[in-house]
Structure formats: structure tokens, C-alpha cells
Amino acid sequence: MSKPTPLSGFPEFLPEQRIIEQQVVATLARTFELHGFANIETRAVEPLDQLLRKGETSKEVYVLRRLQARDDEHSDTSKDKGLGLHFDLTVPFARYVLENAGKLDFPFRRYQIQPVWRGERPQEGRYRQFTQADIDIVGRDSLSPHHDAEIARVMLDALGRLAQPDLLGLPGFRLQVNNRKLIQGFYAGLGAPDVDEVMRLVDKLDKLAPEEVHRLLVAEAGLTGDQADACLALAGIHATDDSFVDRVRALGVSHDLLEEGLEELAGLIRACAPLNSERVRIVADLSIARGLDYYTGTVFETRLDGYESLGSICSGGRYDALASDGRNTYPGVGISLGVSRVLVPLLQRGALVADRKVPSVVLVAVTDEESRPAAEAIATALRARDIACETHPDAAKFGKQIRHAERRGIPYVWFCQQDGSGEVKDIRSGNQVPADPDTWQPPSQDLHPRITTEGKQHQ
């Protein structure tokens, strides 16, 4: 068999890279649970009519079908027609809420960390299979706006933990927030003939120059030059406090929906301000709108400092009518972190490395095959005390066994003595001391692989 060619857009990790991903996922899960969010997992497939009804285009959905399935109506697989892999975790979650509403307590708080599939052109930060971490709070018929601020606070906490030097050590995250009521009310108060089209075009400011967006607003949205100027003036407002309210009102536009959006956004910014730090901060950014059509209020986007080319790595918002069974409506607010979107470019650039390739803290050396049972007994005793270890695969010379540990990043080698005693060697320092497998304990920083940023010079 010839060497296989990697599939573009389906990233895979080496063991030492997977260690980093596992630590990130564990940190996110622990943070979400500290805030009282319950974990769920939904199936990988959904009916196509569900996947396509919330603003996504059909070209991004992978269809699921048996290789031998027939297209005619007499096929015994016809019941499986119309299935696709989910492209995000929000649409499956909406279906999950409807199916289990009678068993859930509302407001229902959930987190999910799962792969999703999206058929778009692969590029840095964008993949065909990738892992997302989502949190949502869903109510029945109503959901207080203070939950919007709660979602932001939870993600700020999670991002702050990821940015710490002992984990990813990243320069920082900027959580940008806006409110669609605010911008829709502003455009309506301005007299825009097509509010949705204006919102769609202004949302292109992260890709197009303001002059080009101005031209499109006049040519495609039917605005006058002065109206287009006002839209760009609104989009240019950014603030880390509620000072943006006065700046918006100074533009001279009034509308009830605008006032409602200003009030909600100002409340969110004030609620989150205490969490601003050197590594994470929340910013009112009145240029963002989000492309999906189910957002009805708060919208989030997040940039990673120094990696702005990745675009938004964490986004979401408020949706007041994503799920409904005809009797009850289930409004919610959520945010999704693109775990792969952050990690894959950093790993590919060598910006993050793990200090070992395996979980093992100790390699138990094997003197000869006759003594292997004794070595395995020592390993068993260490594992009983939650110390990860392995025995050497063969009875090679000790120098070779030490080099085996060095290549894998295992910090300690355990030697069994002829009299039944043991000694453990820290191969980094060369220090070797007597040890008992029932009592010996490595330093806490050695118990698990650690993430370092030694590779940052390769950026």
C-alpha cells in the first residue's frame, strides 16, 4: 500500500498535540461545570430539512447515505434519506430541547464539546471537520436578558483560563459584543428601505474597506450617501464601557427598538466589566451582526490577539425563536468556541508543544525477561496510586532504556535492584534516589504532561 495522502480540511493530531487538545477540552468542561452547565451529546446526523431551515446554505452540509442505497421509493433504505452531518451544535440542540422538553428543567443550561462537519473550502482556521465547544441557556416561553451577560461571563472565564501561562499562554482574547435590536432599530429609524440588507452589508466590514461597503450600501441597499455615512459612523463605535450609548444617541437617530437594544447591550457590558483583564476583555463593537438569521438580540464574536487572520474564533448570540413546538417557544442564548480553529494553526506553527508525548511519568526499566514480572508489579503499584507509568518493551541496556524515556519525554526511570529494593532516577537532573512504589510521589508538576510555548519562535 502506498503512503496515503492527507485529506484537506480533516486535521489529525500527533500524540503530543492531542495531549494539548485534551487539556484544553478538560479546562473548558471544568469551567462550564463550575458555572452549573450540564454536559450533553447529540447525534452526528439530523434531517436535512432541519439543517437547512436556519440560515445555512445547502453547499455546506454533508449528506449521509449508504453506498448501496437506491434512489427509488421501493428502497428499504428510503427511511434514511434526507440525513446530513450537523454543521454546528445549535440546530441539534434545538431539536434536543423539543424532544426532551418534558424531562428538562428550565432555564436549561448545557454544554457540548463535539466534532461538527462543514463543507467549505479548507484554509487556516477553517476545516471540514472540527471540534466546537458550545454553551447555551434556554428558557420556556421567556428568558431574562441577564442570561446574555451570564453567557458572556462564562466564556470570558473559560478564555481567561486558556490564556494563562500554564496552559496555552496566549496573548489574549477580545470578546466583541453587539445587539441586533440596536442596529436594526438604528437602520429603521434612519429610514433604510431594507434593514436586513443593510445589516448584511455592514457585516462585511471585517473583509471589505469602508469605502467599498459605503458604495454597496448605496448601490444594493438603496441608501442615500448621508444614510450610508450614518451606518458607517455607527459601525465605527467601540467601547469597553457603556459610553457607547451617548455616542450612538449623538448620531441623532431614534427608534424604540434602538433604545431597547442600547439598554440590553449597556447592561451586558456593565455586568461583564469586572472580568476585563490583561488577557481577556469585552468590547462593545457596533459593527458586528453575525450572518445566521436566527439571532434576535445580543451577538458575540471573539478575536485572538496576534492571530486576527483567523477571524472570529468564538461566536454566538441570543435567539428568541430557534425552537418551538407550536405551543411553547424556547428562547435561548449561547456561544460557541471553535476549539480546532484556535488549536490547529497554533500547533501547525509550532507555537504550542507538550513536554512529553505520553502520559507516563515513570518508565520502569527491565533488567532481563525473568525479572519482568517484578517490573510489572512495581508499575501496578504506581498505577494504583494514580501515577501513570509503563515498562520498557525489552530488556535492553539501561542506557538504551533511558534514551527511550528521553525520546518520549518521560521524566523518571525506575530501576529494580537484585535485593528487591528500587531506585528512581530523574533523567533531567541525573539525580537517583532509593524509592518504594507504595510511597514514592513525583512532584505535582510532573504528574501530567505540561504545555509549553517554546515553539513560539517558529511563528
Side-chain angles (χ1 to χ4, degrees), residues 318-339:
R318 176 80 176 218
Y319 44 88
D320 284 328
L322 181 66
S324 177
D325 59 10
R327 294 171 300 173
N328 299 106
T329 299
Y330 299 91
V333 58
I335 193 167
S336 173
L337 172 63
V339 176

Side-chain angles (χ1 to χ4, degrees), residues 43-117:
R43 65 198 185 205
V45 300
E46 297 292 335
L48 285 175
D49 60 345
Q50 294 296 311
L51 291 175
L52 301 178
R53 72 185 182 92
K54 288 300 178 182
E56 285 290 323
T57 58
S58 59
K59 65 182 180 181
E60 293 185 348
V61 176
Y62 281 108
V63 174
L64 186 72
R65 187 171 183 230
R66 286 197 309 111
L67 180 64
Q68 299 298 324
R70 295 166 52 192
D71 290 328
D72 64 271
E73 62 181 2
H74 302 295
S75 170
D76 61 1
T77 62
S78 59
K79 65 184 179 211
D80 292 332
K81 290 180 181 179
L83 296 180
L85 294 171
H86 58 224
F87 56 79
D88 72 0
L89 298 178
T90 304
V91 172
F93 177 55
R95 186 266 311 158
Y96 179 93
V97 168
L98 289 177
E99 286 189 10
N100 297 284
K103 304 172 185 177
L104 302 177
D105 296 316
F106 294 95
F108 177 54
R109 307 147 66 85
R110 82 79 162 91
Y111 79 89
Q112 276 180 267
I113 305 175
Q114 282 183 241
V116 300
W117 295 266

Side-chain angles (χ1 to χ4, degrees), residues 87 140 352 408 412:
F87 56 79
R140 193 191 329 247
L352 298 171
R408 296 160 75 82
Y412 298 96

Side-chain angles (χ1 to χ4, degrees), residues 365-428:
V366 178
T367 306
D368 50 47
E369 288 306 318
E370 288 72 21
S371 65
R372 182 173 292 279
E376 294 288 1
I378 290 170
T380 299
L382 292 171
R383 293 180 191 125
R385 299 173 48 242
D386 292 329
I387 299 173
C389 62
E390 58 189 87
T391 57
H392 196 269
D394 55 61
K397 293 181 179 180
F398 284 157
K400 183 178 179 181
Q401 296 190 48
I402 291 172
R403 287 192 295 274
H404 178 84
E406 287 175 332
R407 286 194 300 271
R408 296 160 75 82
I410 301 173
Y412 298 96
V413 176
W414 193 290
F415 298 101
C416 307
Q417 306 300 315
Q418 290 184 348
D419 61 1
S421 63
E423 291 189 353
V424 65
K425 181 174 185 174
D426 184 335
I427 62 175
R428 299 162 298 185

Side-chain angles (χ1 to χ4, degrees), residues 250-308:
L251 296 176
V253 177
S254 61
H255 193 280
D256 289 344
L257 192 60
L258 168 62
E259 289 302 315
E260 187 178 344
L262 282 171
E263 181 180 347
E264 290 182 5
L265 183 56
L268 187 151
I269 292 292
R270 287 192 293 267
C272 294
L275 293 181
N276 281 334
S277 67
E278 181 181 352
R279 295 186 179 275
V280 293
R281 58 201 182 281
I282 190 165
V283 180
D285 183 337
L286 305 195
S287 68
I288 66 170
R290 301 293 300 138
L292 295 176
D293 62 6
Y294 49 67
Y295 294 119
T296 55
T298 301
V299 286
F300 304 105
E301 288 190 351
T302 308
R303 298 298 193 275
L304 175 59
D305 293 344
Y307 295 86
E308 283 78 9

